Each structure stands twice: as structure tokens, then as C-alpha cells.
Amino acid sequence: MPIDGSANLPIGSQRVENVQFTWGWHHNPARRGQVGWGISMELPAVIEMVHLVAQQSVSAEELHGQLLRLAEEIRTAYDEPMPGMDDEPVSSAPWGSDCPVGCTVCADAKPAFAALRADAVAQRERLKVPDEYPYAAGRRSLHRSVCQEAQRAGSLADLGGWDPVERDTQLLRDFAHHGYQGSNMRVLTTEEAATWIREHTGPRGGAQYRLCKMCTPKVP
């Protein structure tokens, strides 16, 4: 989710006040891997900074250094792992959110990611037919397929307004470098849900799962 913020930027003997920025919104693929990738800054503040250089009130080197510092401070403050990842925040990774263009790790992961993506598409298609697939199951929870939690089942298939190429590229990076699998939710027929329940029932009949309290599914 994009985060808005502001900062006061000291440049030499000058100071640019209340510089507005947004973290995690605009990711231009052409500049992936460069410092500041994913951070947008208000144009009037940029014009003010360039004017200070043009008037020789500050040096270009001073402005460059302060912008680099601000970019790292923003990333340190706001960068977090993707949902479902147990790795350290990716602030320690190269700029560009995981790797540079032409990464061999991503190239090697493409076949496995393609299979994962195809499965996500299949789960998303099942969600469109709730009468035929009325249930969804996570690791230890059972839901109705219309439940908000169940809608995550096709998260890798849902481009959600992103540019498709950019979205697929970022999902591949998350998968290749962090093992991000998307949702583990499976969309099920009534018969498949009954089988899932049997597999999650102990030898003495104890339930090793829970029913979602939001959608309150009936046990098939």
C-alpha cells in the first residue's frame, strides 16, 4: 500500500521544508535497480532544489548527496516483507525490490513460477462459480468461497489494475528471491471440502481445523 510522507531536506546552508513524497506507488521498470526506485516526490519541491543549484546557493554534489540520503531513510522506514514472507525486510537487498534486470535467479525460477501462476488462475476461475465450488480452505481454516479471505486464493492471478508485465515481473522476483507463494487458499467443491475435513480430523475425531467466524460455513 502506498505511504505518503514529508521531510525537511537540508542542502548545504539551505533547507527545503516539507518535501512531500509517496513511497511504494510509482515503479518505472526503466529505472529498476536505481536508488530511489518506487519513491515519488512533488515536482514543486524538485524545482525549488534545482533553482538553489542554478543560483549557486548549493552545489549539485550537496543536492545529490542529500537526495541519496533521503531515499535510503525512506526505504529503511517503510520497506517491509511481502505478506507471507518470513525474510528480513528487503531494505538489505539491491534497489529495484530484489534484483537488477537480467537476474539469473529470476530466470531459473520462471518454470516453477509459471506453474504456480497457472494454478492461481485456476483457483480464480473456481471463485467465479460459487454454486459449483462453495468452499475454500487454507492451511487450517475452512471458509465459504464467497468469503473475503477466500478471495485471496487467486491473488497471483489478479492483476488488480497493475500493468500486467510489471506485475508479473515483480511477482516473479518475490517468488524467486523470497519464496512468496501468494495465497495457500484452495477453492473446493462440496466433495473436496468433505475430503479436506477428513484429512484435518484427528484419529479420535478431534477437529484439526477451524471454521471461519466471518462467513460461518456449514460442515459438508
Side-chain angles (χ1 to χ4, degrees), residues 145-219:
S145 60
V146 295
C147 179
Q148 290 182 353
E149 288 293 316
Q151 297 304 308
R152 299 177 183 177
S155 60
L156 285 178
D158 184 5
L159 300 181
W162 283 50
D163 172 76
V165 174
E166 181 179 346
R167 174 67 170 178
D168 282 353
T169 299
Q170 185 56 50
L171 287 172
L172 172 60
R173 285 186 170 94
D174 294 333
F175 172 77
H177 291 270
H178 299 292
Y180 175 56
Q181 301 285 324
S183 171
N184 61 359
M185 199 74 70
R186 311 299 298 175
V187 186
L188 309 172
T189 64
T190 300
E191 292 75 16
E192 290 170 339
T195 298
W196 183 90
I197 287 175
R198 288 195 297 271
E199 292 173 346
H200 290 77
T201 300
R204 296 184 179 181
Q208 298 176 346
Y209 64 91
R210 64 178 181 83
L211 299 178
C212 176
K213 295 182 179 180
M214 292 189 298
C215 64
T216 60
K218 295 181 179 179
V219 177

Side-chain angles (χ1 to χ4, degrees), residues 31-185:
R31 293 186 175 84
R32 180 181 292 279
Q34 296 183 24
V35 174
W37 188 78
I39 300 173
S40 299
M41 183 177 293
E42 56 165 321
L43 184 58
V46 175
I47 293 174
E48 183 177 343
M49 296 174 202
V50 173
H51 179 71
L52 289 175
V53 174
Q55 296 297 313
Q56 298 183 345
S57 298
V58 302
S59 69
E61 289 78 12
E62 288 173 328
L63 174 58
H64 181 252
Q66 287 301 315
L67 288 175
L68 290 177
R69 178 192 60 78
L70 178 61
E72 286 294 344
E73 286 185 357
I74 294 172
R75 183 167 68 150
T76 300
Y78 299 121
D79 218 351
E80 297 178 354
M82 291 288 291
M85 289 163 35
D86 296 325
D87 297 296
E88 293 296 320
V90 295
S91 298
S92 59
W95 273 92
S97 192
D98 302 334
C99 63
V101 175
C103 173
T104 57
V105 175
C106 288
D108 292 341
K110 278 186 176 181
F113 176 75
L116 181 71
R117 182 65 183 275
D119 180 72
V121 171
Q123 296 300 310
R124 175 62 74 189
E125 291 302 308
R126 286 190 168 205
L127 284 173
K128 296 178 181 178
V129 196
D131 291 340
E132 187 174 349
Y133 301 96
Y135 292 95
R139 287 192 179 92
R140 298 290 179 184
S141 59
L142 186 68
H143 307 259
R144 296 168 59 203
S145 60
V146 295
C147 179
Q148 290 182 353
E149 288 293 316
Q151 297 304 308
R152 299 177 183 177
S155 60
L156 285 178
D158 184 5
L159 300 181
W162 283 50
D163 172 76
V165 174
E166 181 179 346
R167 174 67 170 178
D168 282 353
T169 299
Q170 185 56 50
L171 287 172
L172 172 60
R173 285 186 170 94
D174 294 333
F175 172 77
H177 291 270
H178 299 292
Y180 175 56
Q181 301 285 324
S183 171
N184 61 359
M185 199 74 70

